[in-house]
Amino acid sequence: MDLDLSPSQSLVIFFGLVGGYVNGYYVNGVIGSASVGGICPIPSSRFQANDGGVTAILAAGQGTSMSSSLQQARPTTILLTGGADGMVKQWEMMSRKLPPSENGEEPTFQLEHWPRLPTQRMKRRAHLFQSYSGKAVNALAQIDPSKFLSADGSGCVRIWSPSEGKELYRLDGFTGSISSLVLAKDTLITDGMENMVCLHDFSLDIDEAESGYELEW
């Protein structure tokens, strides 16, 4: 589960499901239904994302405005999904205003995803990121708009280029599966070393690292 806080659209919460689907809900719709004792509303978006189940999901901020000759440009947001097959996929999500109903109710919005078909491509972005490890993607984290991280059951953290779909760097040396990634400025916190929490500090240069390292609390 992750929450899209992008300013270009209303708050959206995404759920990755074991069946490989992603469900997206507008938060105000969920709150409105709950406030009157209603059940969970129908998803504003539901699509098949990953074979074998969605095992990680990340709302990664603003995307690329999409347009055609028939409509004005619409701002999009980026959604990353990781699967049980080791594949990471990048999607662009956009809101579409539906026409008002015949009974005069206020117009509603629907979430759409892109690409919709395997033959379609994204604009200036890659759709597929394949690690070939065969292990489930357990965690995703964004460094900045030009890089994101994935961690899987092979014990590797991979740094990807979202525009090229290429693996830029890799962190090895873990003793087991990595299930957590937390980024805080120049610090990466992971598990993957038995029962220990690992702190990776990227603010040090090589000379400082070789002379020793002490944590400051």
Side-chain angles (χ1 to χ4, degrees), residues 24-171:
Y25 299 88
Y26 287 107
V27 173
N28 56 4
V30 175
I31 294 175
S33 178
S35 66
V36 295
I39 61 174
C40 183
I42 297 174
S44 298
S45 176
R46 177 178 171 86
F47 62 95
Q48 180 77 40
N50 295 80
D51 296 332
V54 177
T55 54
I57 193 165
L58 175 69
Q62 187 173 350
T64 305
S65 295
M66 301 184 66
S67 63
S68 71
S69 58
L70 301 178
Q71 62 184 20
Q72 294 180 341
R74 290 184 289 169
T76 69
T77 58
I78 297 299
L79 184 70
L80 297 170
T81 62
D85 57 356
M87 180 79 74
V88 177
K89 295 184 179 181
Q90 182 173 212
W91 311 86
E92 293 208 67
M93 307 299 300
M94 67 204 81
S95 294
R96 181 168 68 90
K97 187 175 182 180
L98 300 177
S101 60
E102 295 180 355
N103 57 12
E105 293 181 357
E106 290 292 323
T108 58
F109 291 84
Q110 178 178 327
L111 277 171
E112 297 181 342
H113 67 281
W114 185 271
R116 298 189 184 93
L117 301 174
T119 55
Q120 293 173 329
R121 296 292 181 265
M122 300 178 71
K123 186 178 181 181
R124 298 192 293 276
R125 292 180 180 271
H127 175 47
L128 303 177
F129 305 82
Q130 178 64 32
S131 68
Y132 300 102
S133 69
K135 302 293 184 179
V137 178
N138 297 325
L140 295 163
Q142 186 180 37
I143 301 174
D144 56 41
S146 66
K147 295 181 288 294
F148 71 88
L149 305 175
S150 71
D152 58 38
S154 68
C156 288
V157 175
R158 305 173 196 275
I159 298 91
W160 301 93
S161 165
S163 61
E164 299 178 358
K166 295 180 180 179
E167 181 182 309
L168 302 175
Y169 311 100
R170 183 187 305 179
L171 299 178

Side-chain angles (χ1 to χ4, degrees), residues 181-200:
L181 293 174
V182 178
L183 277 171
K185 295 184 179 180
D186 295 324
T187 303
L188 172 65
I189 303 171
T190 71
D191 58 355
M193 293 290 284
E194 299 176 355
N195 62 343
M196 293 184 289
V197 175
C198 304
L199 187 149
H200 315 265

Side-chain angles (χ1 to χ4, degrees), residues 3-12 14 59-63 76-78:
L3 182 66
D4 188 351
L5 300 173
S6 301
S8 59
Q9 61 182 24
S10 301
L11 294 181
V12 178
F14 292 102
Q62 187 173 350
T76 69
T77 58
I78 297 299

